[in-house]
Amino acid sequence: MLLAIDVGNTNTVFAIWNGERFLETWRTATEVRRTADQYFVWLSTLMKLRGLEDVTIDEVIVSSTVPRVVFNLRVLCNRYFDCRPIVVGKPDCALPVAPRVDPGTQVGPDRLVNSAGGFDLHGGNLIVVDYGTATTFDVVGEDGAYEGGVIAPGVNLSLQALHEAAAALPLVDVTMPPQVVGKNTVDCMQSGVFWGYVGLVGGIVQRIKDERARPMKVIGTGGLAPLFQQGDTLFDVFEDNLTMHGLTVIHRYNKELQE
């Protein structure tokens, strides 16, 4: 059975895929000092709690935006699952379609995975908006190739920076404010972040569409995407598990090449 692992700057997601669906998905904080043994104790305990202790993991695929984490994940696979993981972005991991970017450019593995997942579910000519530590916009061509994108500061990162740079401003939750004009400091900050990001996403998406001059479907993903969809119709579709689905697509493609 396949274990798909998505390592982000803030969180790492583990999911077990049986070839048709995800049996279970778990999330943990990304920590570069976590050892292979710690990963295994954590994962095996959660599998047992969900009645999956008899599941045999014999294949693993990893996408990581934090390179230092990959070593211990490789050790985890070798020591406990007796397999060599496929790591997205490495030379031995083939992509269904090569990215079309400037020569020498290293594309984030998460963006390659989102492109593969989006194309598999919705075809080409996509804009994938991912609300993560950074807010990213990935442009997927007609044939499924990653063709570039946009990187903006993430929502929580912006709030953290605002709090740390201005001593009088508190750290607030991200939520849709009751009205645009706030009557207190918290409402003012929430309005600025919420409506500011609605405008940022809507504006960048429109500029991408104008530049490409063809119809494009907008896919929203990431934990905060549904919240911002309340403020405006930013996305045509919301895909909660887009990155994990993309990992299964890339794994399947590599497996087919080996057969």
Side-chain angles (χ1 to χ4, degrees), residues 4 8 27 66 76 97 99 112 127 133 158 193 216 222 250:
R27 185 180 300 266
V66 186
L76 169 73
V97 186
L112 298 173
I127 303 170
T133 304
S158 295
V193 170
M216 302 188 77
I250 294 175

Side-chain angles (χ1 to χ4, degrees), residues 5-14 27-34 39 42 63-70 73 133:
I5 306 174
D6 173 42
V7 182
N9 289 296
T10 304
N11 293 315
T12 299
V13 180
F14 288 70
R27 185 180 300 266
T28 185
T30 298
E31 173 55 67
V32 297
R33 293 175 296 180
R34 186 171 287 133
Y39 277 120
W42 172 80
S63 168
S64 177
T65 59
V66 186
R68 290 175 61 193
V69 173
V70 175
L73 291 176
T133 304

